[in-house]
Amino acid sequence: MILKYLGLILGIIVVFLVLYTVVGLIKTIYLKNKEVKLLTLPNDNSDRTTLYGNELFELIKVSSPATSNDESFHIIREKIKTIFPLIHNNFYREKIDQNVIYTYKNFQSDKPNVLFVSHIDNLTFNNDAIMTNNEIYGAGTFDAKALLYVICKAVEEVLDEQGKLDVNLTIVITTDDTSTKHGSEKIAKKLLKEGKFFHLVMEEGIGIVDPDYLGLKSNYALIGIGVTGEVEIRFKKSLSEKHVLLEFLQDVKNNRLFKTKINRQIIQILKQLSKDMDFKNRFYINNILLFKHKVQKSLDSGDIKVSRIVKTNVKYGLVQENEKEVYFDMKFELAPLTMPSEVLEVLAPYIAKYNLDYEIIFVNGGSRITNVNQPGYKCVVETINKIFKHLYISPFIITNIAEKRFFDSVSDCVIRFSPLYYPSNILKDNYHGKEHIQKKSLLYGVDFFKTILKEFKVEVKSALSKM
């Protein structure tokens, strides 16, 4: 009798697995993008492209590393005054340390409040600016003078064409994103204290990525709707035990400290992007209840390249010494829904094994997640479709932008997206310290922000604070 029931149960399980697999195969066949979308930006030798290239080059030529003196930032602010005279005439300018806030003078109580954020510092003192017929080379072309330029140029052109803006615009320019990262935090606190609320905030983000970056078939525009948490920890030993610290460092580097967490948000991102993957990975992801271990293994190994945007990233600082001790820092950029406390749980066995002293340098929780039904998000999607046309769009949670988490205190709709398209070869060069940008991408960046400024609409409640 027992064997009979066991056989019946086993049969039911087998039938369920067969049905589940069949349904999974059907889902895999039908849940895919109907066409491959590859972005092409036609070569444009118009006067606009030439003008934009020349004006951006003026900004790139000014070396502005975050550890430099104030003079370089002063020069850039003066160039902004020269290149964008309408911004100079129509905006108030206020300095917070070396950071700047530009506020549109003509406040309109029935118009939405919009905030654009960028920065002008970088990591290098090398003033290696070079301009060719098609490209501009030099520190800041990627991070992030080019973005600042297209923002300001869009504002300048709308003011020139319309004589006014249809939004209450604030532009924030920070100078310490690659050093202290305090500028954005200070400005966000100031805006909050003044009771200012924004219907749309736009900051830097990944933007448009090539297919090979995420292992997809098509170009994708990734819209950052939130930033995950981060933790930085300093590990220390006495000078006489430097070898112990080095052994610990090698040990944690050799072991994958964090497996990719398969949680609700990760599954949503994977299923959205799997529509553009090959059949095998699409099948595994759409049947994740059966193949969770397989998906996890592929994400951890990097076989599924989407792991670049869904896993915890670990960055190792340099081993340093002072008169008392030797130390180095580890920074953890957390995966979605991973809590800062989990970092110490993972590290606890290593800390005990090597008897390490440690100090938590900072802990930042994850930002608020922007609802994709917000008018600001919908406007960004519509604008991307209008300007770039042939690509797919997906929201995602950013895991590696530390300073882009502060303006959630003054807005329910914070978008991290850059409309400056960097093909894979340029992106790889940028990550290896050779920054350059195609001149033709500037035109699309300017048109993107012009469209936002002209077409973003939202019902404004009278109780909103004045800008």
Side-chain angles (χ1 to χ4, degrees):
M1 183 66 71
I2 295 176
L3 291 176
K4 180 179 178 181
Y5 282 120
L6 286 176
L8 180 62
I9 293 171
L10 182 61
I12 293 172
I13 292 173
V14 169
V15 170
F16 172 78
L17 291 176
V18 170
L19 289 174
Y20 186 86
T21 303
V22 170
V23 172
L25 285 169
I26 294 172
K27 285 164 56 180
T28 304
I29 292 170
Y30 286 99
L31 293 179
K32 67 175 183 177
N33 290 330
K34 293 181 172 59
E35 62 174 317
V36 173
K37 292 187 177 183
L38 295 175
L39 181 68
T40 57
L41 301 184
N43 286 319
D44 187 293
N45 297 315
S46 68
D47 292 341
R48 284 181 71 197
T49 301
T50 301
L51 173 65
Y52 295 169
N54 290 338
E55 289 182 342
L56 173 60
F57 190 55
E58 290 301 308
L59 295 178
I60 298 299
K61 285 191 295 186
V62 182
S63 178
S64 54
T67 53
S68 69
N69 58 36
D70 299 342
E71 181 61 25
S72 59
F73 301 128
H74 172 73
I75 293 172
I76 289 177
R77 287 193 293 268
E78 289 303 304
K79 284 189 177 292
I80 290 174
K81 185 189 300 185
T82 302
I83 297 172
F84 310 112
L86 295 179
I87 289 180
H88 177 67
N89 292 331
N90 288 274
F91 282 72
Y92 299 109
R93 191 179 82 171
E94 181 179 5
K95 283 180 60 178
I96 308 296
D97 300 330
Q98 283 301 314
N99 310 290
V100 184
I101 305 173
Y102 289 90
T103 305
Y104 185 50
K105 292 178 180 179
N106 185 24
F107 177 80
Q108 306 156 92
S109 60
D110 60 335
K111 301 296 183 181
N113 304 326
V114 175
L115 172 64
F116 293 156
V117 184
S118 188
H119 70 93
I120 56 175
D121 62 318
N122 52 63
L123 293 169
T124 178
F125 278 92
N126 296 330
N127 193 356
D128 53 355
I130 299 173
M131 183 165 61
T132 67
N133 288 335
N134 298 314
E135 297 194 57
I136 300 173
Y137 293 77
T141 54
F142 174 70
D143 191 17
K145 290 177 186 171
L147 179 63
L148 173 63
Y149 172 78
V150 296
I151 288 172
C152 291
K153 194 63 181 179
V155 176
E156 189 78 4
E157 291 189 0
V158 172
L159 285 171
D160 184 51
E161 293 166 10
Q162 299 184 167
K164 64 182 181 64
L165 299 180
D166 291 326
V167 300
N168 300 305
L169 180 64
T170 301
I171 303 172
V172 164
I173 306 172
T174 60
T175 62
D176 61 357
D177 278 33
T178 55
S179 56
T180 65
K181 306 183 189 299
H182 291 159
S184 292
E185 185 175 11
K186 285 184 177 180
I187 291 172
K189 287 181 178 178
K190 170 183 168 58
L191 296 173
L192 180 63
K193 186 176 181 180
E194 293 172 352
K196 293 181 177 178
F197 178 86
F198 297 91
H199 300 92
L200 172 63
V201 175
M202 293 211 61
E203 299 189 85
E204 300 158 58
I206 290 179
I208 300 170
V209 297
D210 277 357
D212 60 336
Y213 182 77
L214 295 178
L216 306 176
K217 298 176 182 179
S218 304
N219 283 102
Y220 265 77
L222 297 180
I223 303 177
I225 57 173
V227 181
T228 62
E230 62 173 355
V231 180
E232 186 164 346
I233 303 175
R234 177 164 295 171
F235 297 95
K236 301 177 284 187
K237 292 295 285 186
S238 65
L239 290 173
S240 62
E241 295 183 292
K242 179 177 180 179
H243 65 284
V244 177
L245 189 70
L246 294 176
E247 289 173 8
F248 162 73
L249 176 59
Q250 193 61 48
D251 200 359
V252 294
K253 282 186 174 181
N254 289 340
N255 291 280
R256 289 194 181 99
L257 295 180
F258 289 88
K259 291 184 177 180
T260 306
K261 182 179 289 189
I262 307 294
N263 54 39
R264 175 176 49 81
Q265 284 185 337
I266 297 296
I267 291 173
Q268 288 175 347
I269 295 170
L270 291 176
K271 286 189 174 182
Q272 175 68 25
L273 296 178
S274 70
K275 296 176 183 178
D276 210 59
M277 295 181 187
D278 58 34
F279 185 89
K280 180 184 72 174
N281 286 330
R282 201 162 70 248
F283 176 73
Y284 289 147
I285 290 171
N286 279 294
N287 298 278
I288 201 162
L289 288 178
L290 284 181
F291 299 105
K292 184 176 180 179
H293 177 73
K294 172 64 180 175
V295 173
Q296 175 114 43
K297 186 176 179 182
S298 296
L299 289 170
D300 289 339
S301 66
D303 289 342
I304 298 180
K305 290 186 179 181
V306 171
S307 63
R308 290 181 172 184
I309 62 172
V310 298
K311 68 180 181 182
T312 292
N313 300 304
V314 184
K315 294 183 177 179
Y316 301 91
L318 297 175
V319 176
Q320 302 181 67
E321 298 180 13
N322 57 33
E323 65 278 5
K324 295 181 180 180
E325 59 192 9
V326 58
Y327 63 92
F328 77 93
D329 299 341
M330 289 177 67
K331 185 177 180 180
F332 302 85
E333 298 166 338
L334 304 180
L337 295 183
T338 297
M339 302 301 293
S341 59
E342 295 178 49
V343 172
L344 284 177
E345 291 177 12
V346 171
L347 289 170
Y350 296 92
I351 293 172
K353 177 180 177 181
Y354 294 97
N355 192 26
L356 294 172
D357 294 324
Y358 67 90
E359 172 189 358
I360 298 176
I361 305 299
F362 66 78
V363 177
N364 284 324
S367 72
R368 181 186 304 166
I369 306 302
T370 293
N371 189 317
V372 296
N373 292 315
Q374 284 274 0
Y377 179 86
K378 292 180 178 179
C379 181
V380 170
V381 170
E382 291 167 1
T383 302
I384 293 171
N385 280 322
K386 182 174 183 177
I387 301 301
F388 296 101
K389 297 180 176 65
H390 208 61
L391 46 65
Y392 290 104
I393 300 172
S394 179
F396 82 115
I397 314 298
I398 299 176
T399 60
N400 61 352
I401 298 184
E403 66 278 5
K404 303 296 180 288
R405 64 182 72 248
F406 300 113
F407 291 102
D408 296 316
S409 61
V410 292
S411 178
D412 292 331
C413 184
V414 181
I415 303 296
R416 289 94 177 172
F417 178 80
S418 171
L420 294 171
Y421 170 55
Y422 290 86
S424 286
N425 65 312
I426 293 182
L427 197 61
K428 290 175 183 176
D429 286 346
N430 287 331
Y431 283 132
H432 288 92
K434 185 181 179 182
E435 296 184 53
H436 55 120
I437 187 173
Q438 295 174 312
K439 286 184 186 178
K440 64 182 180 181
S441 71
L442 300 174
L443 185 147
Y444 295 88
V446 171
D447 286 349
F448 173 87
F449 282 107
K450 286 179 69 174
T451 303
I452 294 289
L453 290 170
K454 289 181 177 181
E455 298 187 3
F456 178 56
K457 302 288 188 296
V458 66
E459 183 180 349
V460 179
K461 298 179 181 178
S462 60
L464 290 177
S465 300
K466 290 190 176 183
M467 298 291 290

